[in-house]
Amino acid sequence: MPEIIKDRAIVTDDWVVVRLDEGKSVDMALPQGKLIVPLSMWLSRRDELISRGEVGVWLSDTDEPELVAQDLHLFKVVAVDFPKFAVGRGYSTAALLRTRYGYQGELRAIGDVLRDQMFYLARVGFDAFSVRPDRSISDALQALNDYSVTYQGSVAQTQPLFARVNRIAADERQNGS
Amino acid sequence: MYQYDEYDRQIVRERAAQFKDQTRRYFAGQLSEDEYRPLRLQNGLYIQRHAPMLRIAVPYGLLASKQLRRLASISRKYDRGYGHFTTRQNLQLNWPEVARVPDILEELAEVEMHAIQTSGNCIRNITTDPYAGIATDELIDPRPLCEILRQWSTFHPEFAYLPRKFKIAVNGAIEDRAVTYLHDIGLHVLKNQQGELGFRVIVGGGMGRTPVIGKVIREFLPWQHILSYCDAILRIYNRYGRRDNPYKARIKILVNAIGPEKFAQQVEAEWAHIKDGPTTITQAEYDRVAAHFKAPPYANLAAVDAGFEKSKKDNTPFAKWVERNVRAHRVPGYAAVTLSLKKPGLAPGDCTADQMDFVASLADQYSFGELRVTHEQNLVLSDVAQSDLFEVWQKARDAGLATPTIGLINDIICCPGGDFCDLANAKSIPIAAAIQTRFEDLDYQHDIGNIEINISGCMNSCGHHHVGHIGILGVDKHDEEWYQISIGGQQGLSASLGKVIGPSFAAADVPDVIEKLISVYLAQRHVDELFIDVVERLGLELFQKAVYGERTRGGRVAERKVANA
Ligand code: SF4
């Protein structure tokens, strides 16, 4: 079974991401099991998908998170797809899902997910990562520790550095503290 | 200036370690070229025509002498003994080896420096007025807020992979010396009727292929809110900026596409959600940072130093230098000195390691150990006592740094161009040199007076040609290097974009063309009118006639279109 990083650990994963490539349409026949479906499929087959039991949805880099805002309580997983690691719209999508729409379940980065972006992804609210299969998942896990300090607030740590620690002022330091 | 605490130090150390590992993986074949590219760019590392280029951040243009000495030693040890100061107040090394860049970053971290986000599609180095803290027209010292913005923008997780690069400038004075109308975000200080300080928020300005004057989207933003407001602007941009075409990816394209009013509404709506949140700058944080920028221990000096006045009378070259290169200071008896990096024959903005060491020692001896880099690519000693000016001049002259032409025709802004830059259509440095040679005569330069010539080697406009009183742009015409000339651009509060005068020219013709433009100005000017004033009053026609003669322009204009196709 494939592995993902979840809550800072490597775990096996039984969710299947349904992609509509190769001429498939939203009406395609669905396999058994736990599915993370594209937003378009969710919007057109909502009732059916709910009746299947546990369901997840994924947003493409251009899908608006507003479109699932009312449905978030129905999902076990929400995934955001990164078509290329350097296409960064999904960072704002994640931040909005977490802060504006209050989503608290699993938020998973899928697609071109690589270790050098892990730290940022975690900070905007992703807690699960489906690392690109040709790359080492344990290396990627390590990258969550690339930095021990951050300046600005984020989803993971809402307070900026200046609000969470007492940074010593210039004067005090010059006096040799 | 700002001194790192343990947190700041930790961050630059961890950055150096991270990049060392990324570079190791790249050489080990574990990171592809495409995957490594944005990582190295966000550490200022380009792969260029002849060699890599490393752009080192000089946050808001402020340097301590110790840092400049380190830059000197780095440029000796890892490069060819010189560096190039850019229009973004940064320093570029033209010949480092990729494999050794991680070591350079480590050496930089030791003196509280880095190359973080000096390139790539992220928030770039914040720039400001080089006379911050000493200008007579200042409402707020912009440096504390620049530092707060620097920290906010450093590794901002949501905005590390934007559609395109993003540049922010802050101006704290009445005059705009930070080009705020030509940045992705420009913050220009204002005092409201209650006497509170805030900023006019200007968005979507920029040079490049599609030059645009920024639009004001908020007249007054209290300073406490600049971070959250920038968050709101960037979020709208990150969500709706175009990613399908890099030439249409800057925020200016988005602002133009939906219109500034609509854009402003979207920003305000987004901001309504995050306003007054944890990102609001607290007075305590402001005070903590501002304490780093307290005025140095100035002596109590007379407003006018008799010895200085006498030296000016006795020594004409000194007086000329003072007239051009020395600037008023808000503290009596002090002055700001511009050390010119525009010596004819040398690339504008270039500085040798020996000169860096020398400037560092001048700063230690005469200016409280600090200096500034200007976007005009010169260095400024910001706090020199008038009584020291004569000595400073003598020493600077011996080091080749006292060319008395600040603001004159030979104080050319110029990008590295085709001699170094991969993206160039044409060389820019030899054009600057040819113009400087043509106008070598100092009296002639003084007669012409204030004028700005800006040269870019391509549409990316690193040489700010759009806002040059005379702008020169390298274009590629059937694989040959040609130059398109515009006039009437300017920076400042009445920022405007230059207009192209007509078809482009071969390199050898450029000095003649400039001279013809100048001769029209000299013939037409009223007393006290600068070149730019005459262009504004008269428009382009007389200048075009002088350059192109009476030939019908129709055919030639068509030719220009081909050249730029
Ligand atoms: S303007 Fe063009 S040629 Fe000049 S430095 Fe910028 S990218 Fe290179």
Side-chain angles (χ1 to χ4, degrees):
Chain A
M1 204 175 284
E3 291 180 324
I4 62 162
I5 293 171
K6 188 167 179 202
D7 298 328
R8 299 184 149 261
I10 297 170
V11 297
T12 56
D13 175 55
D14 53 358
W15 286 92
V16 172
V17 177
V18 177
R19 290 186 181 267
L20 294 179
D21 36 27
E22 294 151 32
K24 290 181 187 151
S25 78
V26 290
D27 306 321
M28 65 184 273
L30 291 174
Q32 293 300 308
K34 293 163 37 175
L35 302 180
I36 302 176
V37 303
L39 175 67
S40 54
M41 186 179 285
W42 170 255
L43 294 175
S44 68
R45 296 166 71 174
R46 194 169 182 276
D47 293 341
E48 175 198 346
L49 289 165
I50 292 172
S51 68
R52 282 172 57 105
E54 292 185 324
V55 65
V57 70
W58 66 268
L59 306 183
S60 77
D61 67 312
T62 53
D63 286 339
E64 305 288 358
E66 285 83 353
L67 296 173
V68 289
Q70 302 305 317
D71 292 342
L72 288 169
H73 61 285
L74 299 169
F75 303 125
K76 276 275 176 286
V77 182
V78 175
V80 178
D81 184 53
F82 289 83
K84 281 278 297 165
F85 73 91
V87 174
R89 197 167 185 260
Y91 291 87
S92 289
T93 306
L96 285 167
L97 287 170
R98 286 290 195 218
T99 57
R100 187 84 19 98
Y101 306 117
Y103 178 64
Q104 297 193 348
E106 177 182 328
L107 185 58
R108 184 185 297 196
I110 62 172
D112 198 19
V113 177
L114 301 175
R115 65 162 289 171
D116 293 293
Q117 289 73 46
M118 294 284 290
F119 188 76
Y120 290 142
L121 291 168
R123 294 191 63 210
V124 296
F126 289 102
D127 56 0
F129 308 86
S130 175
V131 178
R132 213 172 77 189
D134 63 330
R135 294 303 158 94
S136 155
I137 193 168
S138 49
D139 279 358
L141 179 62
Q142 284 311 310
L144 290 175
N145 304 317
D146 274 354
Y147 291 91
S148 59
V149 187
T150 55
Y151 281 126
Q152 57 296 100
S154 62
V155 174
Q157 166 58 268
T158 55
Q159 299 297 316
L161 187 63
F162 67 75
R164 60 181 194 264
V165 302
N166 183 16
R167 302 186 72 179
I168 301 164
D171 287 352
E172 296 165 43
R173 280 195 300 141
Q174 273 158 19
N175 296 337
S177 63
Chain B
M1 65 188 284
Y2 187 72
Q3 313 267 305
Y4 280 12
D5 65 8
E6 213 21 68
Y7 299 102
D8 302 300
R9 242 173 261 128
Q10 185 72 11
I11 284 175
V12 293
R13 274 199 301 257
E14 288 177 348
R15 176 56 149 198
Q18 181 193 38
F19 189 60
K20 187 166 234 172
D21 183 55
Q22 289 166 340
T23 303
R24 179 191 64 72
R25 282 185 278 132
Y26 167 66
F27 281 111
Q30 296 164 14
L31 267 179
S32 72
E33 198 69 54
D34 273 358
E35 288 161 9
Y36 184 56
R37 184 183 306 113
L39 306 178
R40 65 169 162 76
L41 287 176
Q42 299 215 2
N43 283 289
L45 179 57
Y46 286 78
I47 308 288
Q48 291 281 32
R49 191 154 293 203
H50 305 292
M53 183 272 276
L54 179 67
R55 185 180 294 149
I56 297 167
V58 180
Y60 38 94
L62 201 57
L63 274 175
S65 56
K66 164 175 111 175
Q67 295 174 319
L68 188 58
R69 280 201 187 87
R70 179 57 61 93
L71 294 174
S73 85
I74 286 175
S75 66
R76 278 194 197 97
K77 189 164 158 192
Y78 299 94
D79 206 283
R80 299 191 180 172
Y82 71 97
H84 172 79
F85 286 101
T86 76
T87 51
R88 291 203 57 74
Q89 304 175 303
N90 290 321
L91 181 82
Q92 290 179 183
L93 297 178
N94 285 317
W95 313 93
E97 263 176 65
V98 175
R100 299 182 81 193
V101 168
D103 299 334
I104 298 178
L105 296 188
E106 271 175 10
E107 291 215 22
L108 289 172
E110 285 168 15
V111 292
E112 311 189 351
M113 295 187 79
H114 57 75
I116 294 167
Q117 291 169 211
T118 53
S119 182
N121 295 335
C122 52
I123 307 169
R124 302 287 190 86
N125 185 29
I126 317 290
T127 52
T128 191
D129 179 2
Y131 301 101
I134 58 167
T136 47
D137 64 339
E138 191 162 273
L139 297 179
I140 186 174
D141 183 343
R143 294 170 302 172
L145 290 174
C146 285
E147 175 58 27
I148 289 170
L149 280 160
R150 182 189 76 82
Q151 298 191 12
W152 158 85
S153 66
T154 299
F155 311 149
H156 196 307
E158 193 177 334
F159 307 129
Y161 293 97
L162 294 168
R164 201 70 180 82
K165 59 188 169 185
F166 203 92
K167 299 175 178 180
I168 302 177
V170 184
N171 192 62
I174 292 168
E175 256 303 308
D176 180 15
R177 286 179 293 266
V179 210
T180 50
Y181 279 89
L182 285 143
H183 278 77
D184 296 289
I185 297 179
L187 297 171
H188 185 88
V189 75
L190 289 175
K191 213 174 229 167
N192 70 6
Q193 278 162 353
Q194 290 75 50
E196 296 155 343
L197 284 170
F199 290 88
R200 174 180 292 143
V201 182
I202 302 150
V203 167
M207 303 198 215
R209 182 171 298 258
T210 321
V212 184
I213 301 285
K215 311 291 185 308
V216 177
I217 61 161
R218 191 172 233 275
E219 261 309 323
F220 186 83
L221 178 74
W223 63 267
Q224 295 88 340
H225 297 297
I226 58 173
L227 301 184
S228 60
Y229 206 80
C230 286
D231 272 327
I233 293 170
L234 274 147
R235 182 171 280 173
I236 298 298
Y237 171 54
N238 193 38
R239 294 186 69 190
Y240 303 114
R242 286 179 63 172
R243 287 183 155 91
D244 57 329
N245 177 347
Y247 297 122
K248 302 208 183 293
R250 294 287 292 269
I251 194 174
K252 61 192 172 190
I253 305 289
L254 175 65
V255 173
N256 274 0
I258 63 178
E261 294 78 20
K262 179 113 187 285
F263 181 83
Q265 283 164 16
Q266 291 186 359
V267 169
E268 291 285 326
E270 179 60 40
W271 189 50
H273 290 284
I274 54 180
K275 180 175 188 274
D276 297 321
T279 294
T280 312
I281 304 167
T282 59
Q283 188 67 45
E285 173 64 358
Y286 180 82
D287 292 345
R288 178 187 79 85
V289 177
H292 289 275
F293 297 96
K294 274 208 302 245
Y298 292 117
N300 231 329
L301 301 177
V304 181
D305 181 80
F308 166 57
E309 292 300 321
K310 182 165 183 313
S311 306
K312 275 198 292 188
K313 273 205 201 80
D314 295 350
N315 189 319
T316 317
F318 174 61
K320 286 223 155 133
W321 177 77
V322 169
E323 186 190 330
R324 299 309 317 185
N325 297 35
V326 173
R327 222 185 137 94
H329 196 290
R330 66 176 179 80
V331 178
Y334 282 87
V337 169
T338 305
L339 299 169
S340 170
L341 298 179
K342 307 293 173 65
K343 197 175 161 61
L346 296 178
D350 272 11
C351 190
T352 66
D354 291 347
Q355 285 177 327
M356 291 185 218
D357 278 336
F358 166 77
V359 172
S361 61
L362 274 190
D364 280 339
Q365 199 177 346
Y366 300 106
S367 194
F368 303 97
E370 286 183 19
L371 61 138
R372 290 106 187 274
V373 183
T374 72
H375 78 263
E376 287 97 352
Q377 302 173 285
N378 293 309
L379 299 175
V380 168
L381 297 174
S382 49
D383 305 278
V384 181
Q386 282 178 12
S387 53
D388 289 334
L389 285 171
F390 191 71
E391 238 172 84
V392 168
W393 171 67
Q394 287 177 313
K395 291 184 176 178
R397 197 188 43 183
D398 295 344
L401 294 166
T403 315
T405 56
I406 300 303
L408 296 180
I409 194 161
N410 274 3
D411 189 14
I412 294 173
I413 293 184
C414 179
C415 81
D419 291 299
F420 297 102
C421 175
D422 254 355
L423 304 167
N425 286 326
K427 293 191 193 65
S428 50
I429 293 168
I431 300 297
I435 296 170
Q436 286 172 330
T437 308
R438 178 65 60 95
F439 292 92
E440 214 165 12
D441 185 87
L442 264 185
D443 292 329
Y444 190 19
Q445 288 192 51
H446 278 263
D447 182 31
I448 297 165
N450 283 352
I451 180 168
E452 296 172 12
I453 297 189
N454 297 2
I455 309 177
S456 303
C458 79
M459 270 301 183
N460 285 310
S461 319
C462 303
H464 296 183
H465 67 275
H466 295 299
V467 291
H469 300 171
I470 298 178
I472 302 177
L473 166 68
V475 292
D476 176 41
K477 190 156 137 180
H478 315 305
D479 281 339
E480 279 172 39
E481 301 190 352
W482 287 71
Y483 296 89
Q484 187 186 72
I485 294 181
S486 55
I487 58 175
Q490 60 185 317
Q491 49 173 324
L493 284 180
S494 41
S496 61
L497 302 170
K499 295 197 181 66
V500 178
I501 59 170
S504 47
F505 303 93
D509 295 332
V510 172
D512 282 342
V513 174
I514 305 299
E515 196 156 25
K516 282 177 188 156
L517 295 172
I518 295 299
S519 61
V520 173
Y521 157 65
L522 293 175
Q524 299 294 332
R525 70 176 164 190
H526 299 158
V527 189
D528 284 347
E529 263 188 334
L530 299 177
F531 178 84
I532 182 73
D533 303 326
V534 173
V535 177
E536 274 186 0
R537 177 165 57 81
L538 294 179
L540 260 56
E541 208 180 321
L542 274 182
F543 292 94
Q544 288 167 323
K545 268 191 192 145
V547 171
Y548 297 104
E550 296 291 348
R551 275 175 290 185
T552 54
R553 286 198 286 120
R556 309 263 305 186
V557 171
E559 181 192 340
R560 179 172 74 89
K561 283 201 178 115
V562 175
N564 285 339

